[in-house]
């Protein structure tokens, strides 16, 4: 039994180590990209004949708190109106539909080319709405913004010119954060997203590996969507699905790190859980749907296949971490056994994994905080807190991952939007949703408390940092799920958008 436990633990640590090496490869690409000059061809919009027709799609579903801010911001887009149309793809089932219709009527009366498009059902959810709008879209290029995104007026002029490259199918921009400093939860989400957009997207793009359209704040060439098979609603991350199908068809993707599109981060643990569930389950669904195609494509390099594997399995490492945490408890009692000393000596190589995570995350963080002399200290606090809470969400995310891999279908749940203004001090949500998952999270919290106690009891401390992080993470998740959620509002980062 002891040998079986050690083998399982070793294999789990090996999986994490290999994943960390894939991130190290992206870091190397990221560093190389900083030395590369931008030589891509672009249209010059000083020549009106080079300005193409663009359709902006705004998929909505019961987004009343943010719909007016969205529409009035889109109306500020600086682009020739005779070469622009805006489709408001409204699947709402609440009273927000009437509010949306009223604002659209007002904007149309002012000469802005905007249409309110509704459906009788939500077949295909967001993917279905985008597909329905595409059937009547006039634009050669399709820009997409979720309801909480606020592109700057010159956004189209910064993105569309890159499509002079006829092989280019997508331009994706970096997400910014309207409310990063609202709470610990929003700061941690910003920390994760900044890592993805600064290091992962840049590293994959430079290495010519598969990258993904992030569902919003990007532009598609219409012919690319159609050639790749159009939007499909059979996964919860239709953006990742279409991205892989398009790149398998040979289309190129371009990531513009310098173009930032600000958006709202979820401010409640329930909203963050919902978003994480959809993203993680959708990634697992896409692995099942698309990785076989990646593996069989003879035009892809070995490195691209490997990066595609880790990209599509990215979320599945929550399940690996959860299993590793559970198995680490019996491993704790074997550490001081002389019979297994040589095994643990070999395992010390896996200490490189957290070091690689630290280096790659800090590289992304430092890139955005170059002028902060205390960035390393702030980073260390965020890094430890983020990974602890990520571990605490491992059970929740593992459920999503397993459902995705085993083909269990579920509804597309949109992330709630709140649009808190600068003068709002708090958001309050009451009620506790008791379920089996919450009970299991409480038991896991107690399990890792036992691991911490046992470390001091038997004098084996090598797993103590890991157990402390697991205990803190599950404690955070349990307590925020049990208590009334009150977030003390700091100033939301809405600079430039307060009066919309």
């Amino acid at each position: 039994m002891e040998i079986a436990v050690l083998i399982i633990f070793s294999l789990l640590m090996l999986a994490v180590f290999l994943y960390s090496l894939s991130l190290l490869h992206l870091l190397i690409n990221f560093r190389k990209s900083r030395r590369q000059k931008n030589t891509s061809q672009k249209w010059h919009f000083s020549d009106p004949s080079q300005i193409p027709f663009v359709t902006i799609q705004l998929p909505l579903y019961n987004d009343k708190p943010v719909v007016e801010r969205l529409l009035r911001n889109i109306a500020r887009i600086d682009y020739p109106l005779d070469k622009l149309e805006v489709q408001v793809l409204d699947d709402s089932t609440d009273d927000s539909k009437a509010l949306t219709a009223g604002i659209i009527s007002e904007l149309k009366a002012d000469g802005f080319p905007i249409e309110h498009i509704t459906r009788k059902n939500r077949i295909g959810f967001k993917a279905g709405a985008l597909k329905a709008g595409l059937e009547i879209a006039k634009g050669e290029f399709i820009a997409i913004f979720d309801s909480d995104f606020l592109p700057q007026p010159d956004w189209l002029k910064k993105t569309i010119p890159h499509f002079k490259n006829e092989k280019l199918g997508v331009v994706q921009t970096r997400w910014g954060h309207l409310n990063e400093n609202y709470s610990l939860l929003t700061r941690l989400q910003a920390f994760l997203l900044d890592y993805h957009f600064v290091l992962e997207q840049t590293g994959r793009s430079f290495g010519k590996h598969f990258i993904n359209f992030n569902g919003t704040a990007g532009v598609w060439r219409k012919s690319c969507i159609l050639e790749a098979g159009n939007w499909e609603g059979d996964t919860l991350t239709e953006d990742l699905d279409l991205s892989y199908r398009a790149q398998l068809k040979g289309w190129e993707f371009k990531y513009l790190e310098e173009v930032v599109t600000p958006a709202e981060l979820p401010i409640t643990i329930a909203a963050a859980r919902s978003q994480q569930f959809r993203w993680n389950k959708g990634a697992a669904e896409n692995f099942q749907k698309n990785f076989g195609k990646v593996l069989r494509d003879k035009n892809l390099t070995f490195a691209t296949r490997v990066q595609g594997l880790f990209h599509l399995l990215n979320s599945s490492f929550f399940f690996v971490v959860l299993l590793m945490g559970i198995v680490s408890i019996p491993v704790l009692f074997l550490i001081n056994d002389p019979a297994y000393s040589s095994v643990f000596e070999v395992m010390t190589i896996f200490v490189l994994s957290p070091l690689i995570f630290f280096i790659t995350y800090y590289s992304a963080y430092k890139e955005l905080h170059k002028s902060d002399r205390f960035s390393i200290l702030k980073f260390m606090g965020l890094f430890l807190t983020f990974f602890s809470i990520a571990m605490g969400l491992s059970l929740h995310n593992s459920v999503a991952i397993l459902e995705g891999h085993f083909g269990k279908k579920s509804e597309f749940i949109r992330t709630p939007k709140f649009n808190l203004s600068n003068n709002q001090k708090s958001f309050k949500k009451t009620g506790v949703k008791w379920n089996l998952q919450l009970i299991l999270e409480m038991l896991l919290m107690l399990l890792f408390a036992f691991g911490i106690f046992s470390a001091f009891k038997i004098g084996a401390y090598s797993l103590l940092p890991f157990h402390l992080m697991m205990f803190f993470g599950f404690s955070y998740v349990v307590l925020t799920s049990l208590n009334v959620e009150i977030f003390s509002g700091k100033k939301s980062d809405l600079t430039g958008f307060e009066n919309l």
Side-chain angles (χ1 to χ4, degrees), residues 176-196 263-268 272 361 365 368-369 372 378-379 381-387 389 472 476 486-493:
H177 318 297
L178 293 171
N179 58 334
E180 176 178 354
N181 293 321
Y182 185 80
S183 68
L184 173 63
L185 182 63
T186 55
R187 285 194 293 274
L188 294 177
Q189 291 174 88
F191 182 76
L192 171 63
L193 289 170
D194 287 344
Y195 174 76
H196 169 68
E264 175 186 301
L265 295 162
I267 63 171
T268 70
Y361 272 79
Y365 183 84
L368 297 181
H369 301 84
D372 188 348
K378 294 177 182 177
F379 168 78
L382 282 171
F383 180 82
L384 292 172
T385 306
F386 166 74
F387 270 91
I389 294 177
F472 176 80
Y476 175 87
I486 301 176
F487 290 76
S488 297
K490 296 184 179 181
K491 275 197 172 184
S492 297
D493 301 327

Side-chain angles (χ1 to χ4, degrees), residues 52-278:
F53 200 107
V54 174
T55 297
I56 296 177
Q57 292 186 325
L58 307 175
L60 300 181
Y61 179 69
N62 297 348
D63 293 315
K64 187 174 182 179
V66 296
V67 66
E68 182 169 7
R69 184 183 70 182
L70 168 71
L71 296 179
R72 297 200 183 283
N73 183 72
I74 290 296
R76 298 168 60 231
I77 288 289
D78 181 15
Y79 202 79
L81 296 185
D82 61 333
K83 294 188 176 181
L84 178 70
E85 70 169 353
V86 177
Q87 294 181 335
V88 181
L89 309 174
D90 192 357
D91 281 352
S92 299
T93 57
D94 63 1
D95 60 351
S96 66
K97 188 174 290 187
L99 172 64
T100 302
I103 300 169
I104 289 173
S105 295
E106 177 186 335
L107 294 176
K108 288 183 69 174
D110 291 337
F112 190 67
I114 186 169
E115 295 295 333
H116 195 191
I117 300 172
T118 61
R119 299 191 296 164
K120 295 181 180 179
N121 54 60
R122 287 188 72 205
I123 294 176
F125 305 111
K126 180 182 176 181
L130 294 172
K131 186 175 182 179
L134 192 69
E135 292 177 358
I136 57 174
K138 301 174 185 176
E140 182 183 352
F141 302 99
I142 313 294
I144 300 171
F145 300 103
D146 282 349
S147 61
D148 53 335
F149 279 74
L150 300 176
Q152 296 286 354
D154 61 352
W155 194 91
L156 289 177
K157 291 184 175 180
K158 288 181 176 179
T159 55
I160 298 297
H162 292 276
F163 284 99
K164 184 175 183 179
N165 175 6
E166 295 183 354
K167 297 180 180 179
L168 188 63
V170 172
V171 169
Q172 174 67 54
T173 65
R174 176 161 64 90
W175 293 7
H177 318 297
L178 293 171
N179 58 334
E180 176 178 354
N181 293 321
Y182 185 80
S183 68
L184 173 63
L185 182 63
T186 55
R187 285 194 293 274
L188 294 177
Q189 291 174 88
F191 182 76
L192 171 63
L193 289 170
D194 287 344
Y195 174 76
H196 169 68
F197 280 99
V198 172
L199 190 134
E200 289 185 320
Q201 289 286 63
T202 302
R204 291 190 181 110
S205 179
F206 179 85
K208 300 188 183 304
H209 305 313
F210 285 88
I211 70 170
N212 59 294
F213 169 65
N214 293 100
T216 177
V219 191
W220 284 83
R221 189 187 296 268
K222 184 178 181 180
S223 58
C224 172
I225 298 176
L226 296 175
E227 185 181 331
N230 215 322
W231 296 103
E232 295 179 357
D234 56 347
T235 73
L236 291 182
T237 46
E238 73 294 322
D239 44 7
L240 180 60
D241 174 33
L242 186 57
S243 296
Y244 265 72
R245 287 189 281 119
Q247 288 167 103
L248 284 166
K249 288 286 187 179
W251 287 97
E252 297 176 4
F253 280 35
K254 188 173 188 63
Y255 172 58
L256 298 180
E257 183 187 344
E258 67 276 12
V259 180
V260 182
T261 312
E264 175 186 301
L265 295 162
I267 63 171
T268 70
I269 189 66
R273 275 176 176 264
S274 174
Q275 187 179 72
Q276 284 286 308
F277 190 92
R278 188 176 75 247

Side-chain angles (χ1 to χ4, degrees), residues 468-486:
L468 281 169
M469 293 176 73
M470 294 292 279
F471 172 73
F472 176 80
F474 278 103
S475 297
Y476 175 87
V477 170
V478 167
L479 292 175
T480 52
S481 298
L482 286 176
N483 293 333
V484 173
E485 293 180 322
I486 301 176

Side-chain angles (χ1 to χ4, degrees), residues 16 51 59 75 134 145 163 214 223 267 318 328 332 348 388 413 439:
V16 174
I51 302 178
L134 192 69
F145 300 103
F163 284 99
N214 293 100
S223 58
I267 63 171
F318 280 106
S328 70
L332 175 65
T348 55
S388 296
I413 306 295
I439 294 170

Side-chain angles (χ1 to χ4, degrees), residues 50 326 368 397:
Q50 294 191 30
I326 294 171
L368 297 181
N397 290 338

